[in-house]
């Protein structure tokens, strides 16, 4: 009975179930749901569009993460916050996000709780990756994706140009790997903000 209009992420659980998130479900509500692939039934769901003070707001969910302690981390664009909830929907932890250019569709993209317990957040609209302290919520690291001297061009295809970063991950060596979205590149950045490796769109044949 649930129509997923735009699936953003799929995560596997140890029990064999899948957790799926989408920006909009039904007419507007962003859902995170758990599905049993054997029965093809939804066994759990959480509606960020109405729960925990969000009713009446425009909320989009572009990132979530099942955590080892059984909680689910959800990044709520529009509310500009990260929450950790239990399966009853109770919030156990909240981090307010610092967004310079607020917009429910562009506040966040990929968000991950990393091994340190901090949160690594891609802010699409700000063109920046920020790391938030997992307890205090303070920004402890930030990298603004450069335009490399090129003017902005609208769109999502190869004609576009910008710094609307969509993905970031922390590497074992402490560097951060960043997918620059419509910047058409992947960057490896040191804690000091130095780019030590870069892969551009035209570096690969057939792209």
């Amino acid at each position: 009975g649930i129509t997923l209009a735009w699936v953003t992420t799929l995560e596997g659980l140890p029990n064999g179930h899948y957790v799926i998130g989408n920006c909009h479900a039904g007419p507007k509500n962003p859902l995170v749901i758990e599905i049993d692939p054997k029965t093809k039934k939804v066994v759990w769901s959480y509606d960020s569009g109405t729960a925990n003070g969000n009713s009446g707001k425009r909320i989009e969910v572009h990132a979530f993460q099942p955590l080892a302690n059984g909680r689910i981390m959800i990044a709520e664009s529009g509310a500009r916050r990260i929450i950790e909830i239990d399966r009853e929907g109770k919030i156990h932890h909240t981090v307010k996000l610092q967004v310079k250019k607020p917009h429910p569709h562009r506040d966040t993209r990929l968000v991950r709780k990393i091994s340190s317990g901090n949160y690594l957040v891609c802010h699409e609209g700000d063109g920046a990756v920020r790391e938030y302290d997992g307890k205090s919520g303070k920004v402890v690291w930030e990298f603004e994706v450069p335009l490399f001297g090129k003017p902005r061009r609208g769109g999502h295809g190869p004609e576009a140009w910008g710094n609307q970063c969509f993905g970031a991950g922390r590497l074992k060596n402490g560097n951060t790997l960043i997918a620059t979205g419509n910047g058409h590149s992947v960057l490896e950045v040191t804690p000091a903000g130095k780019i030590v490796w870069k892969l551009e769109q035209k570096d690969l044949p057939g792209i």
Side-chain angles (χ1 to χ4, degrees):
I2 295 176
T3 300
L4 296 180
W6 187 275
V7 175
T8 56
T9 315
L10 183 148
E11 298 274 354
L13 295 177
N15 63 3
H17 292 183
Y18 293 109
V19 180
I20 300 173
N22 70 315
C23 296
H24 312 285
K28 59 181 179 179
N29 292 344
L31 295 176
V32 177
I33 65 174
E34 180 182 344
I35 295 176
D36 181 347
K38 293 182 179 180
T39 63
K40 298 182 181 180
K41 290 184 178 181
V42 174
V43 297
W44 176 83
S45 67
Y46 180 81
D47 182 353
S48 280
T50 60
N52 288 308
N54 284 344
S55 183
K57 301 177 182 177
R58 178 182 169 185
I59 305 293
E60 295 191 15
V61 172
H62 296 274
F64 70 91
Q65 182 181 10
L67 303 177
N69 59 8
R71 296 177 186 172
I72 303 290
M73 181 215 75
I74 301 175
E76 296 182 330
S77 291
R80 300 192 295 280
R81 67 181 184 179
I82 295 171
I83 59 174
E84 291 187 16
I85 62 170
D86 60 26
R87 293 310 179 96
E88 284 69 48
K90 179 183 177 181
I91 295 178
H92 289 266
H93 187 54
T94 303
V95 167
K96 295 299 294 182
L97 298 174
Q98 297 185 24
V99 184
K100 295 178 181 178
K101 300 176 182 178
H103 191 284
H105 190 61
R106 294 158 55 88
D107 286 344
T108 65
R109 283 293 165 171
L110 186 65
V111 178
R112 282 291 176 265
K113 191 170 189 177
I114 56 180
S115 59
S116 65
N118 291 352
Y119 303 97
L120 196 63
V121 181
C122 292
H123 292 282
E124 178 194 356
D126 287 354
V129 178
R130 298 187 181 104
E131 180 181 348
Y132 293 81
D133 182 272
K135 294 182 179 179
S136 69
K138 293 182 179 179
V139 174
V140 296
W141 185 79
E142 181 175 11
F143 180 78
E144 294 187 2
V145 178
L147 291 170
F148 298 102
K150 298 180 182 180
R152 293 183 185 274
R153 296 192 301 271
H156 291 289
E159 77 288 346
W161 186 257
N163 59 355
Q164 298 172 15
C165 54
F166 271 49
R170 182 61 46 79
L171 302 176
K172 290 182 179 180
N173 63 5
N175 292 350
T176 303
L177 203 63
I178 300 172
T180 65
N182 62 356
H184 310 297
S185 65
V186 178
L187 310 176
E188 182 178 347
V189 180
T190 69
K194 180 181 179 182
I195 298 173
V196 294
W197 180 79
K198 181 181 181 183
L199 179 70
E200 296 183 342
Q201 182 178 21
K202 294 183 180 180
D203 291 339
L204 299 175
I207 303 298

